[in-house]
Amino acid sequence: MSSNIFDNIGKPSDVFDDHDVASLINGDLLVMERIYNVLFPQIYSYSLSYVAVSEQAKEIAQDCFLYLWETRKNLRKDSNLKGYLLRIARNKSLNWLSKQRSQRNYLDYQTRREQAINYEALKDKSAELLLTAELQETIDRVMGQLPPSHLEVFEMSREE
């Protein structure tokens, strides 16, 4: 089957026929580039509608085309490339959202755990008592090193 310049007249620019898919399967980089140029904005927008983060949506869209290229040999000639890429974008977007939720849940868990530990530490008086005892030992040691006249002045300042 020979293709000519008039084959694509009247065909929407984002529809790729069996010949385009066959060329892609065979590794035609020009067809891949055309598919990328035509469908990237739609795949990006679709992904952006899920993830709402422009840079992440671009990354997901690029990953979709990379995945298309890597798995092109598994395609059938009658594959709907746009539908296939949209399904990949949806799955990759949902995976990213799930990962984000897991990370947020983990960070929330860590924050709650840290707060509980801090609360228990503040509630526990043993640490405070230990510090007070250490401080008293230091005061007693220093006072024991004072000459008697200084010690008497210090004690008078505290008592009177």
Side-chain angles (χ1 to χ4, degrees), residues 40-77:
F40 182 85
Q42 295 170 54
I43 302 304
Y44 163 74
S45 294
Y46 185 71
S47 179
L48 185 60
S49 72
Y50 278 99
V51 301
V53 177
S54 180
E55 286 304 311
Q56 189 58 45
K58 285 178 188 174
E59 188 174 319
I60 288 170
Q62 290 170 346
D63 286 349
C64 291
F65 287 95
L66 179 61
Y67 184 81
L68 173 65
W69 180 255
E70 291 171 345
T71 62
R72 68 186 184 279
K73 299 242 185 237
N74 299 331
L75 293 172
R76 295 187 335 247
K77 282 186 180 182

Side-chain angles (χ1 to χ4, degrees), residues 124-137:
D124 183 11
K125 299 287 185 188
S126 61
E128 187 177 322
L129 293 174
L130 181 62
L131 289 174
T132 302
E134 287 178 5
L135 181 59
Q136 189 60 51
E137 283 178 25

